[in-house]
Amino acid sequence: MRRSRGFAAALALSLAGTGAGAVLGLVPQAAAITPPVAFTADALSTWQPNGVVWALAEAGGTVFVGGTFSAVRPPDGSGGAEQSAVNFAALDAATGAPTSCHLSFTVGGGTATVRALTLSPDKQTLYAGGYFGAVNGTPVSSLAAIDVATCTVKTGFRPAFAATVRALAVTGDTVYAGGDFLTVAGQPRQRFAAVDATDGALRPFTADADEPGRAVEVTPDGEHVVLGGDFFTVNGTNTHALAVVDATSGALTKTYAGFIETNSVVKDIATDATGFYTANEGTGGGVFDGRIALNLSDFNQRWRDTCLGATQAVLPYQNVLYSASHAHDCSSVGEYPDGQRHHLLAQPTTSVGKLGWAPDTNDGIGEGIGPRVMTVGSKGGVQYLWVGGEFTTVNGSAQQSLTRFASTGDTGAPTVPVATAASFRPGEAQVRWRTSLDLDDSALTYRIYRNGSGTPIATVAADSLFFKRPQASWTDTTVAAGQSYTYRVTATDAAGNTSALSATASVTVPTSVDAYPDRVRADGAQLFWRYDDASLPNVADSSASGNQNGVHLNAPALRQTPGAVSGASTAIGFNGTDTRVYGDQRQTIGGSYTIETWFRTNTTRGGKLFGFGNNQVRGSSQYDKHIYMTNDGRLVYGVYTGATRSITTSASYNDNQWHHVVATQGPGGMVLYVDGAQKGTLAVTTHENYAGYWHAGGDSLGAWPNPPTSEFWAGQLDETAVYPSVLSAAQVQNHYALATAPADSVVQVQAAEDTYANAGAPDGNYGGSSSLAVRGTSLYTSYLRFNLPAAPAGTVLKSASLSVKTSTMSGAGTADTVSVVPVTGAWTEAGTTYNNRPATGAVALGSFAGVPDGSAVHTTGLDTAALAGALGTSYGLALTSPGTDALWLWSSEAAANEGTPQLTLTFGAP
């Protein structure tokens, strides 16, 4: 029997941001995984059988393995020779290597197999059930007792089972068995029986079932036995797949007619101090594949997890229910929709919600089920969760049929965050990232680093699961208008394992409000995909809440230009075949909403631009609240109310020009707008109510009017937004007008030449050096040359800033003020020395009021008028200082320069 060890741990999940510079404390190594999970997801080195593992049990630091195999071999890549192991192996719980205990389970005809293993309460006797006729040559009949200390068969235990034994449970004096048998010791016992634990004599216990028994467990008080299997009757009474009987007589205590679907069976049962849990497998449609928790007090249901994907084993441990299955669809319990199989899961014993533990296997050999059995072993104060089955990989690496996970030693770091940054108004920059994946930690700590600094400017705690990775974000309110900033983010788990730094996210803070995105945010968008992302797979959410990111599917084309909105924003391109974007957050949509997007196409195959559906990576079976295009270029906006209800434009819009479409629904009904003008209304105020995800670029369209040839969109989208309210006609028209208004543009110019003069080496030239230096006495002066662009037509220079990066040498910073002055004399990088250094102007264009130590990017604003007069020319700047504390910078030749020295120029309407 499997019992919970009684550890109580609260599950506390939070999303919190801290102020600049704050750092959250890390949980010590002893609690290196997110409670109440007790095991890491890091698979340990383990010997592996060459067949299927059906049974596991543990005693005294040894794990006993039963199944259908002939040998065990070392872990892949570790070397060593294969060892004979005929349907049984004994492995060290701490090392995963074979012990000296060797038993062979054989049969004269057919294929021998071990299907069940269990220990006596004192753990001195191992009982093995299956289909076999001998153990190490000693005759037995499908059930044997093994002395654990000597690893020998107990010849005095001689029950005679006429067919396969699939399940075992034991008390101090009785062994309960379930399986395919119809007789035991020549006496009728159909699929369930009980024998004496010492000599195997048949007990009076009678619980006859009409179909095979697959699971048997004794309640903790020893008074009842819980039966599971394929059956529809026990002792002639209707009770499908599950029954509770008296432990002495086998008389029915609790029946479950109609409780479990007729095409589903119970594969495993496990108990703890409060209840028992069933693992269920179904065949065909309308099945029950998940898990049930039932109370010991009344044998009634506590909860039911209806995930699809046949469950083979359940194991309650420290208030967590671990399960082995191939769960692929948990949408019925509010979790992930139909898609990838997940073979190992954990949830509280009190509810259905999954916890942050999700190592994985593949389906493997045999029936392609994956994992089939679990047990916990302990050695040296460490607990090990062992998993057996028919898989051939674990966490993507080769490993057959056996694996194990420890209670300590978490070594797996979270995935690297994919970070982006955006700024829509002076004084604010939003840093955002898709939360990372860690297979045994759902609560992670994120640190944000600005301008290459080694000290985080902010720390954010955020939760994520393998199927729920919302966007996290932090707003930097210490940025200056017109200046550029870079950000990088790391993720750290409770054990201190830290991801690599994210790729650099760059942003320039505007000198005035960026009108279009600012208005979308101000009008209440809860999802705002601008499609400015430079890399797969994340689509950043630029809404104020900032948590509804999207995920690219099949690599749509990124950063397509020109975008729909004036300025630097880009669009996304879809191929009309299989590319799309799906939302990462499952939700339901209220009675009022607005969907908005810009589109451009010349397709004649139609396709869905944007809409809501109940799946993510697969086509949805429920889908509405969508906008699609017919083959002739007309737009359709529709909802489902039991029938399709839609508005269709009379005009076509597949003219390869950017167009704006908005669809609203609320108490006033449905309205469709194109390019700021109303194109149709419908007095429909309801839609289909289901949980799902937003999709851009494609999803199902079956049974909708004027269906296009393709359900996928061939064209570009930009500025997609969803609102939890109805936008007014005036708001729609305003959005359309703002998108076509001239917007600020930003140009970043790196130094074409840079060098410095050194009074200590009057004839020395440092043009090829990776460093620049600034000091008053003895003098260092740095010189920078920039090839300034002309202002774009119709614009003027609105702001200018200079960015430099301090080097990694000790004391690279300075306490002195560093001035930026114009260079008035002639100079070249290759020819400048202290002796021939150029003259400089007296009036500073900008300054750094001291620069702290530590390699980081630093930015200062420059005199806009002075730079404006030099546009379209080659322009020189010098860095000077009055004091004796030297400043050391990376030059443009340095690999670590973060693109510095660099000018950032912002152009806009006069």
Side-chain angles (χ1 to χ4, degrees), residues 836-871:
N836 68 3
R837 66 190 186 278
T840 59
V843 179
L845 305 178
S847 64
F848 298 90
V851 177
D853 288 342
S855 182
V857 175
H858 298 275
T859 302
T860 184
L862 300 179
D863 186 298
T864 304
L867 269 292
L871 291 176

mmCIF file of all heavy atoms in Angstrom, residues 836-871:
data_model
loop_
_atom_site.group_PDB
_atom_site.id
_atom_site.type_symbol
_atom_site.label_atom_id
_atom_site.label_comp_id
_atom_site.label_asym_id
_atom_site.label_seq_id
_atom_site.Cartn_x
_atom_site.Cartn_y
_atom_site.Cartn_z
ATOM 1 N N ASN A 836 49.251 66.494 -31.278
ATOM 2 C CA ASN A 836 48.515 67.144 -32.371
ATOM 3 C C ASN A 836 47.012 67.098 -32.175
ATOM 4 O O ASN A 836 46.254 67.186 -33.132
ATOM 5 C CB ASN A 836 48.886 66.514 -33.723
ATOM 6 C CG ASN A 836 48.397 65.077 -33.856
ATOM 7 O OD1 ASN A 836 47.735 64.548 -32.969
ATOM 8 N ND2 ASN A 836 48.747 64.435 -34.962
ATOM 9 N N ARG A 837 46.580 66.970 -30.926
ATOM 10 C CA ARG A 837 45.150 66.847 -30.628
ATOM 11 C C ARG A 837 44.380 68.064 -31.127
ATOM 12 O O ARG A 837 44.903 69.180 -31.129
ATOM 13 C CB ARG A 837 44.925 66.630 -29.134
ATOM 14 C CG ARG A 837 45.325 67.808 -28.269
ATOM 15 C CD ARG A 837 45.304 67.422 -26.778
ATOM 16 N NE ARG A 837 45.556 68.578 -25.915
ATOM 17 C CZ ARG A 837 46.745 69.052 -25.637
ATOM 18 N NH1 ARG A 837 47.845 68.513 -26.180
ATOM 19 N NH2 ARG A 837 46.867 70.102 -24.821
ATOM 20 N N PRO A 838 43.134 67.888 -31.538
ATOM 21 C CA PRO A 838 42.370 69.003 -32.103
ATOM 22 C C PRO A 838 41.838 69.942 -31.019
ATOM 23 O O PRO A 838 41.709 69.569 -29.845
ATOM 24 C CB PRO A 838 41.219 68.299 -32.825
ATOM 25 C CG PRO A 838 41.002 67.054 -32.027
ATOM 26 C CD PRO A 838 42.378 66.610 -31.597
ATOM 27 N N ALA A 839 41.525 71.150 -31.442
ATOM 28 C CA ALA A 839 40.908 72.121 -30.528
ATOM 29 C C ALA A 839 39.462 71.730 -30.266
ATOM 30 O O ALA A 839 38.811 71.067 -31.080
ATOM 31 C CB ALA A 839 40.987 73.516 -31.138
ATOM 32 N N THR A 840 38.924 72.136 -29.119
ATOM 33 C CA THR A 840 37.531 71.846 -28.758
ATOM 34 C C THR A 840 36.832 73.134 -28.357
ATOM 35 O O THR A 840 37.467 74.118 -27.956
ATOM 36 C CB THR A 840 37.463 70.849 -27.585
ATOM 37 O OG1 THR A 840 38.158 71.409 -26.460
ATOM 38 C CG2 THR A 840 38.082 69.514 -27.962
ATOM 39 N N GLY A 841 35.487 73.136 -28.453
ATOM 40 C CA GLY A 841 34.701 74.287 -28.057
ATOM 41 C C GLY A 841 34.615 74.431 -26.557
ATOM 42 O O GLY A 841 34.799 73.464 -25.802
ATOM 43 N N ALA A 842 34.292 75.607 -26.088
ATOM 44 C CA ALA A 842 34.252 75.884 -24.656
ATOM 45 C C ALA A 842 32.912 75.580 -24.033
ATOM 46 O O ALA A 842 32.807 75.366 -22.818
ATOM 47 C CB ALA A 842 34.621 77.348 -24.412
ATOM 48 N N VAL A 843 31.823 75.583 -24.821
ATOM 49 C CA VAL A 843 30.477 75.409 -24.274
ATOM 50 C C VAL A 843 30.081 73.932 -24.350
ATOM 51 O O VAL A 843 30.088 73.325 -25.436
ATOM 52 C CB VAL A 843 29.460 76.274 -25.045
ATOM 53 C CG1 VAL A 843 28.058 76.066 -24.491
ATOM 54 C CG2 VAL A 843 29.870 77.749 -24.968
ATOM 55 N N ALA A 844 29.762 73.364 -23.197
ATOM 56 C CA ALA A 844 29.401 71.945 -23.152
ATOM 57 C C ALA A 844 28.035 71.719 -23.791
ATOM 58 O O ALA A 844 27.097 72.500 -23.592
ATOM 59 C CB ALA A 844 29.397 71.445 -21.717
ATOM 60 N N LEU A 845 27.922 70.636 -24.542
ATOM 61 C CA LEU A 845 26.640 70.227 -25.129
ATOM 62 C C LEU A 845 25.838 69.338 -24.180
ATOM 63 O O LEU A 845 24.636 69.165 -24.349
ATOM 64 C CB LEU A 845 26.885 69.460 -26.438
ATOM 65 C CG LEU A 845 27.733 70.176 -27.504
ATOM 66 C CD1 LEU A 845 27.916 69.274 -28.704
ATOM 67 C CD2 LEU A 845 27.074 71.480 -27.899
ATOM 68 N N GLY A 846 26.516 68.767 -23.203
ATOM 69 C CA GLY A 846 25.896 67.890 -22.213
ATOM 70 C C GLY A 846 26.953 67.436 -21.240
ATOM 71 O O GLY A 846 28.152 67.736 -21.425
ATOM 72 N N SER A 847 26.570 66.721 -20.189
ATOM 73 C CA SER A 847 27.569 66.286 -19.208
ATOM 74 C C SER A 847 27.065 65.085 -18.427
ATOM 75 O O SER A 847 25.863 64.846 -18.313
ATOM 76 C CB SER A 847 27.915 67.421 -18.252
ATOM 77 O OG SER A 847 26.774 67.777 -17.482
ATOM 78 N N PHE A 848 28.028 64.335 -17.873
ATOM 79 C CA PHE A 848 27.761 63.242 -16.938
ATOM 80 C C PHE A 848 28.206 63.728 -15.561
ATOM 81 O O PHE A 848 29.392 64.026 -15.364
ATOM 82 C CB PHE A 848 28.530 61.982 -17.315
ATOM 83 C CG PHE A 848 28.178 61.410 -18.674
ATOM 84 C CD1 PHE A 848 28.870 61.816 -19.809
ATOM 85 C CD2 PHE A 848 27.169 60.473 -18.812
ATOM 86 C CE1 PHE A 848 28.569 61.283 -21.053
ATOM 87 C CE2 PHE A 848 26.851 59.937 -20.048
ATOM 88 C CZ PHE A 848 27.545 60.343 -21.177
ATOM 89 N N ALA A 849 27.307 63.781 -14.619
ATOM 90 C CA ALA A 849 27.637 64.274 -13.279
ATOM 91 C C ALA A 849 28.233 63.140 -12.458
ATOM 92 O O ALA A 849 27.669 62.666 -11.469
ATOM 93 C CB ALA A 849 26.395 64.826 -12.594
ATOM 94 N N GLY A 850 29.406 62.663 -12.872
ATOM 95 C CA GLY A 850 30.019 61.521 -12.231
ATOM 96 C C GLY A 850 29.457 60.233 -12.806
ATOM 97 O O GLY A 850 28.298 60.169 -13.221
ATOM 98 N N VAL A 851 30.289 59.212 -12.855
ATOM 99 C CA VAL A 851 29.887 57.910 -13.394
ATOM 100 C C VAL A 851 30.295 56.845 -12.384
ATOM 101 O O VAL A 851 31.477 56.749 -12.022
ATOM 102 C CB VAL A 851 30.562 57.651 -14.758
ATOM 103 C CG1 VAL A 851 30.192 56.265 -15.270
ATOM 104 C CG2 VAL A 851 30.160 58.724 -15.768
ATOM 105 N N PRO A 852 29.364 56.000 -11.896
ATOM 106 C CA PRO A 852 29.719 55.000 -10.888
ATOM 107 C C PRO A 852 30.575 53.883 -11.468
ATOM 108 O O PRO A 852 30.585 53.644 -12.682
ATOM 109 C CB PRO A 852 28.355 54.471 -10.427
ATOM 110 C CG PRO A 852 27.446 54.731 -11.583
ATOM 111 C CD PRO A 852 27.921 56.002 -12.210
ATOM 112 N N ASP A 853 31.309 53.198 -10.594
ATOM 113 C CA ASP A 853 32.083 52.031 -11.010
ATOM 114 C C ASP A 853 31.133 50.920 -11.457
ATOM 115 O O ASP A 853 29.945 50.893 -11.101
ATOM 116 C CB ASP A 853 32.957 51.530 -9.857
ATOM 117 C CG ASP A 853 34.126 52.469 -9.581
ATOM 118 O OD1 ASP A 853 34.447 53.288 -10.460
ATOM 119 O OD2 ASP A 853 34.702 52.378 -8.476
ATOM 120 N N GLY A 854 31.690 49.964 -12.184
ATOM 121 C CA GLY A 854 30.890 48.854 -12.691
ATOM 122 C C GLY A 854 30.544 49.071 -14.147
ATOM 123 O O GLY A 854 30.083 50.142 -14.540
ATOM 124 N N SER A 855 30.785 48.067 -14.961
ATOM 125 C CA SER A 855 30.552 48.199 -16.397
ATOM 126 C C SER A 855 29.071 48.355 -16.686
ATOM 127 O O SER A 855 28.263 47.477 -16.368
ATOM 128 C CB SER A 855 31.099 46.969 -17.126
ATOM 129 O OG SER A 855 30.935 47.097 -18.520
ATOM 130 N N ALA A 856 28.684 49.477 -17.288
ATOM 131 C CA ALA A 856 27.279 49.755 -17.584
ATOM 132 C C ALA A 856 27.207 50.865 -18.619
ATOM 133 O O ALA A 856 28.162 51.629 -18.817
ATOM 134 C CB ALA A 856 26.525 50.170 -16.321
ATOM 135 N N VAL A 857 26.056 50.955 -19.281
ATOM 136 C CA VAL A 857 25.818 52.005 -20.262
ATOM 137 C C VAL A 857 25.296 53.249 -19.544
ATOM 138 O O VAL A 857 24.424 53.154 -18.674
ATOM 139 C CB VAL A 857 24.805 51.540 -21.328
ATOM 140 C CG1 VAL A 857 24.466 52.686 -22.287
ATOM 141 C CG2 VAL A 857 25.365 50.348 -22.096
ATOM 142 N N HIS A 858 25.822 54.407 -19.928
ATOM 143 C CA HIS A 858 25.388 55.672 -19.336
ATOM 144 C C HIS A 858 25.033 56.635 -20.471
ATOM 145 O O HIS A 858 25.700 56.676 -21.512
ATOM 146 C CB HIS A 858 26.489 56.260 -18.461
ATOM 147 C CG HIS A 858 26.855 55.375 -17.307
ATOM 148 N ND1 HIS A 858 26.169 55.383 -16.120
ATOM 149 C CD2 HIS A 858 27.805 54.410 -17.194
ATOM 150 C CE1 HIS A 858 26.701 54.481 -15.301
ATOM 151 N NE2 HIS A 858 27.691 53.867 -15.929
ATOM 152 N N THR A 859 23.968 57.397 -20.271
ATOM 153 C CA THR A 859 23.427 58.256 -21.323
ATOM 154 C C THR A 859 23.226 59.661 -20.796
ATOM 155 O O THR A 859 22.784 59.842 -19.651
ATOM 156 C CB THR A 859 22.093 57.688 -21.837
ATOM 157 O OG1 THR A 859 22.299 56.362 -22.313
ATOM 158 C CG2 THR A 859 21.529 58.538 -22.963
ATOM 159 N N THR A 860 23.528 60.647 -21.630
ATOM 160 C CA THR A 860 23.247 62.042 -21.284
ATOM 161 C C THR A 860 22.615 62.735 -22.474
ATOM 162 O O THR A 860 22.932 62.444 -23.631
ATOM 163 C CB THR A 860 24.525 62.794 -20.867
ATOM 164 O OG1 THR A 860 24.175 64.110 -20.459
ATOM 165 C CG2 THR A 860 25.529 62.857 -22.015
ATOM 166 N N GLY A 861 21.703 63.652 -22.205
ATOM 167 C CA GLY A 861 21.111 64.447 -23.265
ATOM 168 C C GLY A 861 22.084 65.491 -23.795
ATOM 169 O O GLY A 861 22.969 65.973 -23.075
ATOM 170 N N LEU A 862 21.932 65.837 -25.065
ATOM 171 C CA LEU A 862 22.804 66.818 -25.706
ATOM 172 C C LEU A 862 21.992 68.012 -26.183
ATOM 173 O O LEU A 862 20.767 67.918 -26.359
ATOM 174 C CB LEU A 862 23.533 66.188 -26.892
ATOM 175 C CG LEU A 862 24.435 64.996 -26.578
ATOM 176 C CD1 LEU A 862 25.075 64.479 -27.866
ATOM 177 C CD2 LEU A 862 25.503 65.347 -25.548
ATOM 178 N N ASP A 863 22.678 69.131 -26.407
ATOM 179 C CA ASP A 863 22.040 70.348 -26.893
ATOM 180 C C ASP A 863 21.442 70.084 -28.274
ATOM 181 O O ASP A 863 22.172 69.879 -29.259
ATOM 182 C CB ASP A 863 23.080 71.468 -26.958
ATOM 183 C CG ASP A 863 22.467 72.804 -27.322
ATOM 184 O OD1 ASP A 863 21.906 72.922 -28.426
ATOM 185 O OD2 ASP A 863 22.566 73.730 -26.497
ATOM 186 N N THR A 864 20.113 70.091 -28.334
ATOM 187 C CA THR A 864 19.434 69.737 -29.581
ATOM 188 C C THR A 864 19.748 70.727 -30.688
ATOM 189 O O THR A 864 19.988 70.339 -31.847
ATOM 190 C CB THR A 864 17.921 69.662 -29.343
ATOM 191 O OG1 THR A 864 17.656 68.743 -28.295
ATOM 192 C CG2 THR A 864 17.191 69.217 -30.598
ATOM 193 N N ALA A 865 19.775 72.003 -30.375
ATOM 194 C CA ALA A 865 20.011 73.017 -31.397
ATOM 195 C C ALA A 865 21.384 72.868 -32.028
ATOM 196 O O ALA A 865 21.555 73.022 -33.253
ATOM 197 C CB ALA A 865 19.843 74.408 -30.800
ATOM 198 N N ALA A 866 22.395 72.574 -31.197
ATOM 199 C CA ALA A 866 23.750 72.420 -31.727
ATOM 200 C C ALA A 866 23.830 71.237 -32.685
ATOM 201 O O ALA A 866 24.449 71.321 -33.758
ATOM 202 C CB ALA A 866 24.737 72.253 -30.582
ATOM 203 N N LEU A 867 23.195 70.113 -32.312
ATOM 204 C CA LEU A 867 23.217 68.938 -33.177
ATOM 205 C C LEU A 867 22.380 69.165 -34.431
ATOM 206 O O LEU A 867 22.727 68.689 -35.514
ATOM 207 C CB LEU A 867 22.694 67.713 -32.406
ATOM 208 C CG LEU A 867 23.720 66.852 -31.645
ATOM 209 C CD1 LEU A 867 24.634 66.138 -32.614
ATOM 210 C CD2 LEU A 867 24.508 67.679 -30.660
ATOM 211 N N ALA A 868 21.264 69.900 -34.284
ATOM 212 C CA ALA A 868 20.401 70.146 -35.439
ATOM 213 C C ALA A 868 21.150 70.894 -36.526
ATOM 214 O O ALA A 868 20.961 70.643 -37.729
ATOM 215 C CB ALA A 868 19.160 70.917 -35.011
ATOM 216 N N GLY A 869 22.033 71.802 -36.127
ATOM 217 C CA GLY A 869 22.785 72.579 -37.107
ATOM 218 C C GLY A 869 23.840 71.770 -37.825
ATOM 219 O O GLY A 869 24.370 72.223 -38.857
ATOM 220 N N ALA A 870 24.171 70.599 -37.288
ATOM 221 C CA ALA A 870 25.219 69.771 -37.891
ATOM 222 C C ALA A 870 24.659 68.587 -38.650
ATOM 223 O O ALA A 870 25.430 67.748 -39.145
ATOM 224 C CB ALA A 870 26.170 69.286 -36.805
ATOM 225 N N LEU A 871 23.328 68.456 -38.746
ATOM 226 C CA LEU A 871 22.733 67.308 -39.436
ATOM 227 C C LEU A 871 23.228 67.232 -40.876
ATOM 228 O O LEU A 871 23.377 68.249 -41.561
ATOM 229 C CB LEU A 871 21.213 67.404 -39.405
ATOM 230 C CG LEU A 871 20.550 67.223 -38.040
ATOM 231 C CD1 LEU A 871 19.041 67.451 -38.140
ATOM 232 C CD2 LEU A 871 20.854 65.862 -37.442
#
